[in-house]
Every structure is written in C-alpha cells, then in structure tokens.
Amino acid sequence: MSHQPSSGKRTCMQMLQDMLDGEATPEQQDEFKDHMYGCMPCYQKYNLEMVIKDLLKSKCCGQGAPPELIAQIKAKIEQKNVL
Ligand SMILES: [Zn+2]
C-alpha cells in the first residue's frame, strides 16, 4: 500500500493486479470488466489467469494440470499479445 496515485486513471497492470489479488472494489471490478472488452491485452491476460486458476484447482482434485500445459497456454496467449 505504498504509492498509489490518488487520482487519474489506473494503468492496465494495476487494474489487473487488483482483480487477480481480489483487492478490487465492486466499483473497480465493474470498471475493469468494461475496460476489458475494449482492451485485448487485459482481456487475454485476465482470461489466461482464470484458466490457470481452474487448472490449478482441478489439480487439487487429483486430476493434475501438467506445468508444461500451463506453459504452453501462456506462450500461446503471449504470442498473440505481441502481434
Ligand atoms: Zn487494459
């Protein structure tokens, strides 16, 4: 909680981080969801994290998500981001 700008727009990275940490207020969640549909990198990154969370969850249930698979998915999405 050190240096948060008190006004102005937050960056994509900050919004994403708060969402993924579960620290976003309901207002910020709405803001991010609106933003996400107009911002491909955020949309992809957010969905990527959700996919990974799901994979890790299913691992807890004994199904196992191989790290290579996660790396593959990540690589694919990051490739798209570069283009
Ligand atoms: Zn964005």
Side-chain angles (χ1 to χ4, degrees), residues 12 15 35 39 42:
C12 289
M15 286 194 281
H35 168 83
C39 182
C42 281

Side-chain angles (χ1 to χ4, degrees), residues 11-13 15-16 32 35-36 38-43:
T11 65
C12 289
M13 226 30 222
M15 286 194 281
L16 257 175
F32 179 76
H35 168 83
M36 183 171 86
C39 182
M40 234 341 116
C42 281
Y43 182 83

Side-chain angles (χ1 to χ4, degrees), residues 25-44:
T25 63
E27 208 178 42
Q28 287 172 334
Q29 288 176 28
D30 282 349
E31 185 192 343
F32 179 76
K33 276 172 194 158
D34 277 351
H35 168 83
M36 183 171 86
Y37 289 108
C39 182
M40 234 341 116
C42 281
Y43 182 83
Q44 288 178 332

Side-chain angles (χ1 to χ4, degrees), residues 14-24 46 50 53:
Q14 286 172 324
M15 286 194 281
L16 257 175
Q17 205 64 55
D18 284 350
M19 287 298 288
L20 297 174
D21 290 348
E23 281 175 5
Y46 182 70
M50 289 300 124
K53 264 189 192 164

